[in-house]
Amino acid sequence: MHSSADHQHRTARPELELADIFREYADRLTELTGQQARVVRDVTECRTAALGGHIYECDQCEYQEISYNSCRNRHCPKCQRLEQVRWLEAQQERLLPIEYHHVVFTVPDVLHPLFLNNRRQAYNLAFAAVSETLHEVALRPKNLGAKIGFSLVLHTWTQTLLYHFHLYCIVTGGGLHLDGSRWVSAKPGFLFSVRILAKVFRGKLLQKLEKALDCGRIASHDDDPKERLRMAARKNWVVYSKPPFAGPEQVLKYLGRYTQRIAISNERLVSMKDGQVTFRWKDRAHGDKNKIMELDAGEFIRRFLLHVVPKSLMRIRHYGLFANSVTHELIPRCRKFLCVEASNLSDTNDPENRETWQELVHRLTGRDVTLCPNCHTGYLIMKETLPALRLWPPVQPRAP
Ligand SMILES: [Zn+2]
Ligand SMILES: [Zn+2]
């Protein structure tokens, strides 16, 4: 078993943390879902006495330190890095030495209320609609006539924390021929027409939403729920492609930066005073200019919590050649056709094989966190376990 304790408190703490804002102002929000209340509680308690921890003592000198447990909530800004590294390493094994394309699917704003009311269902339907669209278009003989691989990543925020649903897709520039006999490469720099992707996606998603409304799987506050779908059907949907990745290293770099990201990092927070929160943002519409925004603290928290995803909903999903059920068999076959060394796929997420966070940090940074920072010769030994002291009120039970 690996411990959830973390020694990151040895590194400098940012001046302002999301936890500080929650501690001060979270009571301004009343109508939180159970999931949102849990995020507020976890972020507030992360690496504090509330979660308990361990006292470590050096076996050579008098040095002692307390290491409080982290909350491991995926919306917590302090609990991102190690999970990110673990995830990246698992991805590395799936990457092929080819061009990767980068496509973004969005939905018209008119659908946002429906999405926010039915996060789990709507997100699942959108993942399904995008994956069916990509598969179907790739299989058309005049496109590739091949089985492609892709990963989809759900993002819902803008730089100012407003709601903007989009799915990022990282798609192989080619695929396995339908008869499995060879690799089919896409033309360099071009994969599929985004106009066609948008049209197919619009048809599929609207059909799924309509069916879900019909059988009551999603709920709407509208008098005529179908009117929203009809309005969306009349719009031009936006699918756009970003410049392709030059190769697997660039894909990894991108994934590392974006995929595990939450709506805002502690580093972007500037100040909190008189009920106002200020933070840095990049104005994408104006050449990525750095700007500062000031928001009422309640509004800031409300915006942050718009992006909480339902419990156990997967934000990153793999399809086609990358689907977990087939990737062990198909990736080595693709490597063979592409004339590259086969690598052994190991399941790094298998809890049995999982290294502890101490081992991981040591392997990545060469820094042994069990070495005493005082005498540099002794090793820190766990001396005592500190029980959790819940300070925050327990999470309200929520309706099933
Ligand atoms: Zn945390
Ligand atoms: Zn020591």
mmCIF file of all heavy atoms in Angstrom, residues 57-100:
data_model
loop_
_atom_site.group_PDB
_atom_site.id
_atom_site.type_symbol
_atom_site.label_atom_id
_atom_site.label_comp_id
_atom_site.label_asym_id
_atom_site.label_seq_id
_atom_site.Cartn_x
_atom_site.Cartn_y
_atom_site.Cartn_z
ATOM 1 N N GLU A 57 10.533 10.628 12.390
ATOM 2 C CA GLU A 57 11.671 10.990 13.215
ATOM 3 C C GLU A 57 12.925 10.421 12.582
ATOM 4 O O GLU A 57 12.906 9.302 12.056
ATOM 5 C CB GLU A 57 11.476 10.384 14.614
ATOM 6 C CG GLU A 57 12.317 11.041 15.676
ATOM 7 C CD GLU A 57 11.967 10.479 17.047
ATOM 8 O OE1 GLU A 57 12.259 9.286 17.272
ATOM 9 O OE2 GLU A 57 11.402 11.209 17.861
ATOM 10 N N CYS A 58 13.997 11.211 12.644
ATOM 11 C CA CYS A 58 15.261 10.749 12.072
ATOM 12 C C CYS A 58 15.859 9.653 12.971
ATOM 13 O O CYS A 58 15.773 9.739 14.191
ATOM 14 C CB CYS A 58 16.233 11.914 11.953
ATOM 15 S SG CYS A 58 17.833 11.400 11.311
ATOM 16 N N ASP A 59 16.456 8.638 12.344
ATOM 17 C CA ASP A 59 17.042 7.565 13.157
ATOM 18 C C ASP A 59 18.460 7.908 13.636
ATOM 19 O O ASP A 59 19.086 7.133 14.340
ATOM 20 C CB ASP A 59 17.011 6.220 12.401
ATOM 21 C CG ASP A 59 17.774 6.262 11.083
ATOM 22 O OD1 ASP A 59 18.400 7.315 10.779
ATOM 23 O OD2 ASP A 59 17.728 5.260 10.347
ATOM 24 N N GLN A 60 18.968 9.113 13.240
ATOM 25 C CA GLN A 60 20.322 9.507 13.655
ATOM 26 C C GLN A 60 20.341 10.747 14.542
ATOM 27 O O GLN A 60 21.165 10.860 15.433
ATOM 28 C CB GLN A 60 21.197 9.808 12.420
ATOM 29 C CG GLN A 60 21.373 8.639 11.474
ATOM 30 C CD GLN A 60 22.249 7.548 12.044
ATOM 31 O OE1 GLN A 60 23.292 7.831 12.630
ATOM 32 N NE2 GLN A 60 21.823 6.299 11.906
ATOM 33 N N CYS A 61 19.484 11.731 14.232
ATOM 34 C CA CYS A 61 19.486 12.954 15.027
ATOM 35 C C CYS A 61 18.114 13.168 15.657
ATOM 36 O O CYS A 61 17.278 12.283 15.653
ATOM 37 C CB CYS A 61 19.917 14.156 14.174
ATOM 38 S SG CYS A 61 18.700 14.639 12.925
ATOM 39 N N GLU A 62 17.876 14.370 16.150
ATOM 40 C CA GLU A 62 16.635 14.654 16.874
ATOM 41 C C GLU A 62 15.514 15.113 15.949
ATOM 42 O O GLU A 62 14.411 15.375 16.391
ATOM 43 C CB GLU A 62 16.894 15.792 17.898
ATOM 44 C CG GLU A 62 17.915 15.447 18.953
ATOM 45 C CD GLU A 62 17.392 14.352 19.884
ATOM 46 O OE1 GLU A 62 16.414 14.606 20.603
ATOM 47 O OE2 GLU A 62 17.942 13.230 19.849
ATOM 48 N N TYR A 63 15.827 15.231 14.662
ATOM 49 C CA TYR A 63 14.872 15.843 13.739
ATOM 50 C C TYR A 63 13.531 15.113 13.693
ATOM 51 O O TYR A 63 13.465 13.888 13.651
ATOM 52 C CB TYR A 63 15.486 15.887 12.329
ATOM 53 C CG TYR A 63 14.592 16.541 11.317
ATOM 54 C CD1 TYR A 63 14.496 17.925 11.223
ATOM 55 C CD2 TYR A 63 13.810 15.762 10.452
ATOM 56 C CE1 TYR A 63 13.653 18.525 10.296
ATOM 57 C CE2 TYR A 63 12.975 16.353 9.525
ATOM 58 C CZ TYR A 63 12.897 17.732 9.452
ATOM 59 O OH TYR A 63 12.062 18.317 8.547
ATOM 60 N N GLN A 64 12.470 15.923 13.696
ATOM 61 C CA GLN A 64 11.115 15.379 13.582
ATOM 62 C C GLN A 64 10.332 16.191 12.581
ATOM 63 O O GLN A 64 10.529 17.403 12.473
ATOM 64 C CB GLN A 64 10.395 15.535 14.934
ATOM 65 C CG GLN A 64 10.466 14.319 15.806
ATOM 66 C CD GLN A 64 9.381 14.347 16.883
ATOM 67 O OE1 GLN A 64 8.617 15.291 16.991
ATOM 68 N NE2 GLN A 64 9.325 13.289 17.665
ATOM 69 N N GLU A 65 9.449 15.570 11.863
ATOM 70 C CA GLU A 65 8.520 16.378 11.072
ATOM 71 C C GLU A 65 7.158 15.714 11.000
ATOM 72 O O GLU A 65 7.026 14.488 11.113
ATOM 73 C CB GLU A 65 9.084 16.673 9.677
ATOM 74 C CG GLU A 65 9.121 15.495 8.744
ATOM 75 C CD GLU A 65 9.629 15.907 7.353
ATOM 76 O OE1 GLU A 65 10.449 16.831 7.242
ATOM 77 O OE2 GLU A 65 9.174 15.276 6.377
ATOM 78 N N ILE A 66 6.161 16.584 10.806
ATOM 79 C CA ILE A 66 4.794 16.077 10.678
ATOM 80 C C ILE A 66 4.412 16.158 9.215
ATOM 81 O O ILE A 66 4.654 17.162 8.554
ATOM 82 C CB ILE A 66 3.804 16.928 11.503
ATOM 83 C CG1 ILE A 66 4.183 16.892 12.974
ATOM 84 C CG2 ILE A 66 2.379 16.418 11.300
ATOM 85 C CD1 ILE A 66 3.302 17.784 13.831
ATOM 86 N N SER A 67 3.866 15.089 8.713
ATOM 87 C CA SER A 67 3.417 15.081 7.338
ATOM 88 C C SER A 67 1.922 14.775 7.350
ATOM 89 O O SER A 67 1.515 13.694 7.735
ATOM 90 C CB SER A 67 4.208 14.008 6.598
ATOM 91 O OG SER A 67 3.746 13.895 5.295
ATOM 92 N N TYR A 68 1.135 15.771 6.966
ATOM 93 C CA TYR A 68 -0.319 15.558 6.963
ATOM 94 C C TYR A 68 -0.763 14.895 5.676
ATOM 95 O O TYR A 68 -0.166 15.106 4.619
ATOM 96 C CB TYR A 68 -1.045 16.896 7.142
ATOM 97 C CG TYR A 68 -0.869 17.483 8.514
ATOM 98 C CD1 TYR A 68 -0.301 18.740 8.685
ATOM 99 C CD2 TYR A 68 -1.256 16.768 9.646
ATOM 100 C CE1 TYR A 68 -0.128 19.285 9.950
ATOM 101 C CE2 TYR A 68 -1.080 17.300 10.909
ATOM 102 C CZ TYR A 68 -0.520 18.552 11.059
ATOM 103 O OH TYR A 68 -0.345 19.073 12.296
ATOM 104 N N ASN A 69 -1.813 14.150 5.758
ATOM 105 C CA ASN A 69 -2.314 13.443 4.576
ATOM 106 C C ASN A 69 -2.955 14.404 3.580
ATOM 107 O O ASN A 69 -3.485 15.441 3.950
ATOM 108 C CB ASN A 69 -3.346 12.396 4.998
ATOM 109 C CG ASN A 69 -2.712 11.274 5.789
ATOM 110 O OD1 ASN A 69 -1.523 10.983 5.619
ATOM 111 N ND2 ASN A 69 -3.468 10.653 6.664
ATOM 112 N N SER A 70 -2.886 14.011 2.311
ATOM 113 C CA SER A 70 -3.538 14.825 1.287
ATOM 114 C C SER A 70 -4.901 14.215 0.973
ATOM 115 O O SER A 70 -5.149 13.033 1.240
ATOM 116 C CB SER A 70 -2.658 14.924 0.049
ATOM 117 O OG SER A 70 -2.156 13.660 -0.285
ATOM 118 N N CYS A 71 -5.781 15.039 0.389
ATOM 119 C CA CYS A 71 -7.176 14.611 0.234
ATOM 120 C C CYS A 71 -7.379 13.702 -0.969
ATOM 121 O O CYS A 71 -8.309 12.926 -1.024
ATOM 122 C CB CYS A 71 -8.075 15.835 0.100
ATOM 123 S SG CYS A 71 -7.917 16.720 -1.480
ATOM 124 N N ARG A 72 -6.499 13.813 -1.965
ATOM 125 C CA ARG A 72 -6.576 13.028 -3.195
ATOM 126 C C ARG A 72 -7.862 13.244 -3.992
ATOM 127 O O ARG A 72 -8.228 12.418 -4.815
ATOM 128 C CB ARG A 72 -6.371 11.545 -2.899
ATOM 129 C CG ARG A 72 -4.935 11.311 -2.469
ATOM 130 C CD ARG A 72 -4.501 9.924 -2.800
ATOM 131 N NE ARG A 72 -4.645 9.045 -1.673
ATOM 132 C CZ ARG A 72 -4.595 7.727 -1.757
ATOM 133 N NH1 ARG A 72 -4.436 7.153 -2.908
ATOM 134 N NH2 ARG A 72 -4.712 6.997 -0.692
ATOM 135 N N ASN A 73 -8.529 14.346 -3.731
ATOM 136 C CA ASN A 73 -9.685 14.688 -4.568
ATOM 137 C C ASN A 73 -9.128 15.207 -5.895
ATOM 138 O O ASN A 73 -8.199 16.015 -5.915
ATOM 139 C CB ASN A 73 -10.520 15.761 -3.878
ATOM 140 C CG ASN A 73 -11.831 15.999 -4.578
ATOM 141 O OD1 ASN A 73 -11.876 16.240 -5.785
ATOM 142 N ND2 ASN A 73 -12.914 15.919 -3.824
ATOM 143 N N ARG A 74 -9.687 14.766 -7.023
ATOM 144 C CA ARG A 74 -9.094 15.154 -8.300
ATOM 145 C C ARG A 74 -9.360 16.619 -8.649
ATOM 146 O O ARG A 74 -8.856 17.119 -9.640
ATOM 147 C CB ARG A 74 -9.577 14.245 -9.417
ATOM 148 C CG ARG A 74 -11.080 14.267 -9.592
ATOM 149 C CD ARG A 74 -11.414 13.390 -10.757
ATOM 150 N NE ARG A 74 -12.806 12.969 -10.690
ATOM 151 C CZ ARG A 74 -13.464 12.489 -11.725
ATOM 152 N NH1 ARG A 74 -12.844 12.367 -12.871
ATOM 153 N NH2 ARG A 74 -14.698 12.130 -11.606
ATOM 154 N N HIS A 75 -10.192 17.317 -7.851
ATOM 155 C CA HIS A 75 -10.392 18.742 -8.092
ATOM 156 C C HIS A 75 -9.483 19.590 -7.214
ATOM 157 O O HIS A 75 -9.588 20.810 -7.208
ATOM 158 C CB HIS A 75 -11.842 19.124 -7.816
ATOM 159 C CG HIS A 75 -12.822 18.375 -8.684
ATOM 160 N ND1 HIS A 75 -13.396 17.195 -8.286
ATOM 161 C CD2 HIS A 75 -13.276 18.629 -9.920
ATOM 162 C CE1 HIS A 75 -14.191 16.758 -9.245
ATOM 163 N NE2 HIS A 75 -14.129 17.595 -10.255
ATOM 164 N N CYS A 76 -8.620 18.940 -6.441
ATOM 165 C CA CYS A 76 -7.778 19.670 -5.496
ATOM 166 C C CYS A 76 -6.483 20.106 -6.164
ATOM 167 O O CYS A 76 -5.768 19.295 -6.739
ATOM 168 C CB CYS A 76 -7.456 18.786 -4.295
ATOM 169 S SG CYS A 76 -6.222 19.504 -3.206
ATOM 170 N N PRO A 77 -6.151 21.410 -6.085
ATOM 171 C CA PRO A 77 -4.925 21.877 -6.743
ATOM 172 C C PRO A 77 -3.651 21.277 -6.158
ATOM 173 O O PRO A 77 -2.628 21.212 -6.834
ATOM 174 C CB PRO A 77 -4.938 23.394 -6.535
ATOM 175 C CG PRO A 77 -6.096 23.726 -5.691
ATOM 176 C CD PRO A 77 -6.886 22.484 -5.413
ATOM 177 N N LYS A 78 -3.686 20.832 -4.898
ATOM 178 C CA LYS A 78 -2.463 20.285 -4.297
ATOM 179 C C LYS A 78 -2.266 18.814 -4.627
ATOM 180 O O LYS A 78 -1.224 18.251 -4.339
ATOM 181 C CB LYS A 78 -2.543 20.413 -2.773
ATOM 182 C CG LYS A 78 -2.318 21.804 -2.269
ATOM 183 C CD LYS A 78 -2.295 21.761 -0.753
ATOM 184 C CE LYS A 78 -2.683 23.108 -0.196
ATOM 185 N NZ LYS A 78 -3.128 22.983 1.192
ATOM 186 N N CYS A 79 -3.274 18.175 -5.157
ATOM 187 C CA CYS A 79 -3.194 16.722 -5.345
ATOM 188 C C CYS A 79 -3.033 16.344 -6.809
ATOM 189 O O CYS A 79 -3.501 15.289 -7.224
ATOM 190 C CB CYS A 79 -4.421 16.056 -4.748
ATOM 191 S SG CYS A 79 -4.420 16.132 -2.965
ATOM 192 N N GLN A 80 -2.414 17.192 -7.594
ATOM 193 C CA GLN A 80 -2.352 16.945 -9.021
ATOM 194 C C GLN A 80 -1.085 16.252 -9.495
ATOM 195 O O GLN A 80 -1.131 15.366 -10.310
ATOM 196 C CB GLN A 80 -2.481 18.275 -9.777
ATOM 197 C CG GLN A 80 -3.798 18.953 -9.547
ATOM 198 C CD GLN A 80 -4.940 18.138 -10.097
ATOM 199 O OE1 GLN A 80 -4.932 17.748 -11.246
ATOM 200 N NE2 GLN A 80 -5.901 17.834 -9.257
ATOM 201 N N ARG A 81 0.063 16.662 -8.978
ATOM 202 C CA ARG A 81 1.301 16.344 -9.685
ATOM 203 C C ARG A 81 1.669 14.869 -9.776
ATOM 204 O O ARG A 81 1.999 14.378 -10.843
ATOM 205 C CB ARG A 81 2.467 17.171 -9.130
ATOM 206 C CG ARG A 81 2.542 18.512 -9.824
ATOM 207 C CD ARG A 81 3.883 19.177 -9.698
ATOM 208 N NE ARG A 81 4.978 18.373 -10.185
ATOM 209 C CZ ARG A 81 6.029 18.055 -9.459
ATOM 210 N NH1 ARG A 81 6.135 18.471 -8.234
ATOM 211 N NH2 ARG A 81 6.995 17.338 -9.981
ATOM 212 N N LEU A 82 1.612 14.171 -8.666
ATOM 213 C CA LEU A 82 2.041 12.779 -8.727
ATOM 214 C C LEU A 82 1.113 11.933 -9.577
ATOM 215 O O LEU A 82 1.545 11.091 -10.351
ATOM 216 C CB LEU A 82 2.158 12.189 -7.323
ATOM 217 C CG LEU A 82 3.368 12.654 -6.528
ATOM 218 C CD1 LEU A 82 3.429 11.912 -5.215
ATOM 219 C CD2 LEU A 82 4.661 12.442 -7.300
ATOM 220 N N GLU A 83 -0.187 12.199 -9.446
ATOM 221 C CA GLU A 83 -1.138 11.457 -10.262
ATOM 222 C C GLU A 83 -0.861 11.721 -11.737
ATOM 223 O O GLU A 83 -0.962 10.843 -12.577
ATOM 224 C CB GLU A 83 -2.575 11.870 -9.917
ATOM 225 C CG GLU A 83 -3.076 11.278 -8.621
ATOM 226 C CD GLU A 83 -2.777 9.784 -8.489
ATOM 227 O OE1 GLU A 83 -3.088 9.039 -9.432
ATOM 228 O OE2 GLU A 83 -2.217 9.366 -7.459
ATOM 229 N N GLN A 84 -0.492 12.970 -12.032
ATOM 230 C CA GLN A 84 -0.203 13.349 -13.400
ATOM 231 C C GLN A 84 0.983 12.569 -13.951
ATOM 232 O O GLN A 84 0.952 12.065 -15.061
ATOM 233 C CB GLN A 84 0.086 14.848 -13.410
ATOM 234 C CG GLN A 84 0.375 15.419 -14.746
ATOM 235 C CD GLN A 84 0.441 16.940 -14.648
ATOM 236 O OE1 GLN A 84 -0.379 17.559 -14.001
ATOM 237 N NE2 GLN A 84 1.418 17.524 -15.276
ATOM 238 N N VAL A 85 2.020 12.451 -13.127
ATOM 239 C CA VAL A 85 3.209 11.720 -13.570
ATOM 240 C C VAL A 85 2.867 10.255 -13.803
ATOM 241 O O VAL A 85 3.226 9.665 -14.817
ATOM 242 C CB VAL A 85 4.337 11.851 -12.521
ATOM 243 C CG1 VAL A 85 5.475 10.905 -12.847
ATOM 244 C CG2 VAL A 85 4.837 13.279 -12.466
ATOM 245 N N ARG A 86 2.122 9.674 -12.875
ATOM 246 C CA ARG A 86 1.747 8.265 -13.024
ATOM 247 C C ARG A 86 0.972 8.053 -14.310
ATOM 248 O O ARG A 86 1.198 7.117 -15.051
ATOM 249 C CB ARG A 86 0.870 7.825 -11.846
ATOM 250 C CG ARG A 86 1.646 7.614 -10.583
ATOM 251 C CD ARG A 86 0.828 6.776 -9.612
ATOM 252 N NE ARG A 86 1.702 6.307 -8.548
ATOM 253 C CZ ARG A 86 1.651 6.767 -7.300
ATOM 254 N NH1 ARG A 86 0.767 7.657 -6.953
ATOM 255 N NH2 ARG A 86 2.489 6.298 -6.397
ATOM 256 N N TRP A 87 0.047 8.978 -14.561
ATOM 257 C CA TRP A 87 -0.814 8.845 -15.719
ATOM 258 C C TRP A 87 0.011 8.972 -17.004
ATOM 259 O O TRP A 87 -0.160 8.209 -17.946
ATOM 260 C CB TRP A 87 -1.899 9.917 -15.645
ATOM 261 C CG TRP A 87 -2.889 9.788 -16.724
ATOM 262 C CD1 TRP A 87 -3.949 8.926 -16.753
ATOM 263 C CD2 TRP A 87 -2.915 10.514 -17.947
ATOM 264 N NE1 TRP A 87 -4.639 9.092 -17.921
ATOM 265 C CE2 TRP A 87 -4.028 10.053 -18.676
ATOM 266 C CE3 TRP A 87 -2.124 11.511 -18.496
ATOM 267 C CZ2 TRP A 87 -4.359 10.559 -19.922
ATOM 268 C CZ3 TRP A 87 -2.457 12.016 -19.731
ATOM 269 C CH2 TRP A 87 -3.558 11.533 -20.441
ATOM 270 N N LEU A 88 0.918 9.959 -17.017
ATOM 271 C CA LEU A 88 1.742 10.176 -18.203
ATOM 272 C C LEU A 88 2.564 8.954 -18.557
ATOM 273 O O LEU A 88 2.717 8.601 -19.715
ATOM 274 C CB LEU A 88 2.703 11.336 -17.959
ATOM 275 C CG LEU A 88 2.134 12.704 -18.272
ATOM 276 C CD1 LEU A 88 3.150 13.771 -17.914
ATOM 277 C CD2 LEU A 88 1.785 12.788 -19.741
ATOM 278 N N GLU A 89 3.093 8.311 -17.521
ATOM 279 C CA GLU A 89 3.935 7.147 -17.799
ATOM 280 C C GLU A 89 3.125 6.023 -18.411
ATOM 281 O O GLU A 89 3.594 5.294 -19.262
ATOM 282 C CB GLU A 89 4.640 6.709 -16.522
ATOM 283 C CG GLU A 89 5.567 7.813 -16.051
ATOM 284 C CD GLU A 89 6.668 7.316 -15.168
ATOM 285 O OE1 GLU A 89 6.456 6.300 -14.490
ATOM 286 O OE2 GLU A 89 7.738 7.943 -15.179
ATOM 287 N N ALA A 90 1.870 5.903 -17.971
ATOM 288 C CA ALA A 90 1.011 4.871 -18.553
ATOM 289 C C ALA A 90 0.750 5.195 -20.024
ATOM 290 O O ALA A 90 0.687 4.302 -20.863
ATOM 291 C CB ALA A 90 -0.296 4.779 -17.776
ATOM 292 N N GLN A 91 0.627 6.489 -20.333
ATOM 293 C CA GLN A 91 0.347 6.893 -21.714
ATOM 294 C C GLN A 91 1.518 6.641 -22.643
ATOM 295 O O GLN A 91 1.359 6.283 -23.795
ATOM 296 C CB GLN A 91 0.028 8.400 -21.793
ATOM 297 C CG GLN A 91 -1.215 8.800 -21.065
ATOM 298 C CD GLN A 91 -2.335 7.844 -21.316
ATOM 299 O OE1 GLN A 91 -2.753 7.658 -22.453
ATOM 300 N NE2 GLN A 91 -2.811 7.189 -20.281
ATOM 301 N N GLN A 92 2.710 6.858 -22.100
ATOM 302 C CA GLN A 92 3.917 6.742 -22.906
ATOM 303 C C GLN A 92 3.971 5.411 -23.657
ATOM 304 O O GLN A 92 4.432 5.328 -24.769
ATOM 305 C CB GLN A 92 5.116 6.843 -21.974
ATOM 306 C CG GLN A 92 6.377 7.245 -22.658
ATOM 307 C CD GLN A 92 7.272 8.001 -21.691
ATOM 308 O OE1 GLN A 92 7.090 7.928 -20.473
ATOM 309 N NE2 GLN A 92 8.219 8.729 -22.221
ATOM 310 N N GLU A 93 3.460 4.378 -23.003
ATOM 311 C CA GLU A 93 3.553 3.043 -23.580
ATOM 312 C C GLU A 93 2.623 2.842 -24.760
ATOM 313 O O GLU A 93 2.761 1.913 -25.515
ATOM 314 C CB GLU A 93 3.249 2.015 -22.492
ATOM 315 C CG GLU A 93 4.219 2.154 -21.340
ATOM 316 C CD GLU A 93 3.962 1.155 -20.241
ATOM 317 O OE1 GLU A 93 2.819 0.700 -20.129
ATOM 318 O OE2 GLU A 93 4.915 0.857 -19.518
ATOM 319 N N ARG A 94 1.640 3.734 -24.887
ATOM 320 C CA ARG A 94 0.703 3.588 -25.997
ATOM 321 C C ARG A 94 1.122 4.385 -27.217
ATOM 322 O O ARG A 94 0.545 4.242 -28.277
ATOM 323 C CB ARG A 94 -0.671 4.141 -25.616
ATOM 324 C CG ARG A 94 -1.357 3.448 -24.508
ATOM 325 C CD ARG A 94 -2.582 4.283 -24.176
ATOM 326 N NE ARG A 94 -2.991 4.016 -22.823
ATOM 327 C CZ ARG A 94 -4.105 3.353 -22.500
ATOM 328 N NH1 ARG A 94 -4.917 2.949 -23.413
ATOM 329 N NH2 ARG A 94 -4.394 3.123 -21.251
ATOM 330 N N LEU A 95 2.096 5.289 -27.063
ATOM 331 C CA LEU A 95 2.382 6.216 -28.154
ATOM 332 C C LEU A 95 3.141 5.550 -29.290
ATOM 333 O O LEU A 95 4.042 4.756 -29.072
ATOM 334 C CB LEU A 95 3.174 7.414 -27.624
ATOM 335 C CG LEU A 95 2.347 8.359 -26.748
ATOM 336 C CD1 LEU A 95 3.246 9.375 -26.077
ATOM 337 C CD2 LEU A 95 1.266 9.050 -27.549
ATOM 338 N N LEU A 96 2.776 5.910 -30.515
ATOM 339 C CA LEU A 96 3.439 5.392 -31.710
ATOM 340 C C LEU A 96 4.233 6.522 -32.356
ATOM 341 O O LEU A 96 3.880 7.684 -32.210
ATOM 342 C CB LEU A 96 2.369 4.878 -32.692
ATOM 343 C CG LEU A 96 1.502 3.738 -32.193
ATOM 344 C CD1 LEU A 96 0.293 3.551 -33.093
ATOM 345 C CD2 LEU A 96 2.315 2.458 -32.101
ATOM 346 N N PRO A 97 5.299 6.189 -33.082
ATOM 347 C CA PRO A 97 6.141 7.231 -33.683
ATOM 348 C C PRO A 97 5.520 7.801 -34.956
ATOM 349 O O PRO A 97 6.033 7.604 -36.048
ATOM 350 C CB PRO A 97 7.445 6.487 -33.988
ATOM 351 C CG PRO A 97 7.001 5.080 -34.234
ATOM 352 C CD PRO A 97 5.798 4.843 -33.367
ATOM 353 N N ILE A 98 4.402 8.475 -34.818
ATOM 354 C CA ILE A 98 3.685 9.007 -35.979
ATOM 355 C C ILE A 98 3.252 10.427 -35.672
ATOM 356 O O ILE A 98 3.461 10.920 -34.576
ATOM 357 C CB ILE A 98 2.420 8.163 -36.269
ATOM 358 C CG1 ILE A 98 1.594 8.070 -34.981
ATOM 359 C CG2 ILE A 98 2.766 6.795 -36.806
ATOM 360 C CD1 ILE A 98 0.221 7.497 -35.187
ATOM 361 N N GLU A 99 2.600 11.051 -36.669
ATOM 362 C CA GLU A 99 2.030 12.371 -36.414
ATOM 363 C C GLU A 99 0.717 12.205 -35.645
ATOM 364 O O GLU A 99 -0.053 11.296 -35.934
ATOM 365 C CB GLU A 99 1.762 13.058 -37.762
ATOM 366 C CG GLU A 99 1.364 14.498 -37.640
ATOM 367 C CD GLU A 99 1.270 15.172 -39.019
ATOM 368 O OE1 GLU A 99 0.400 14.808 -39.827
ATOM 369 O OE2 GLU A 99 2.077 16.086 -39.263
ATOM 370 N N TYR A 100 0.493 13.068 -34.679
ATOM 371 C CA TYR A 100 -0.765 13.046 -33.929
ATOM 372 C C TYR A 100 -1.540 14.309 -34.226
ATOM 373 O O TYR A 100 -0.968 15.400 -34.231
ATOM 374 C CB TYR A 100 -0.505 12.963 -32.427
ATOM 375 C CG TYR A 100 -0.140 11.576 -31.985
ATOM 376 C CD1 TYR A 100 1.154 11.106 -32.112
ATOM 377 C CD2 TYR A 100 -1.109 10.729 -31.473
ATOM 378 C CE1 TYR A 100 1.494 9.821 -31.730
ATOM 379 C CE2 TYR A 100 -0.784 9.442 -31.079
ATOM 380 C CZ TYR A 100 0.514 8.994 -31.213
ATOM 381 O OH TYR A 100 0.834 7.729 -30.836
#
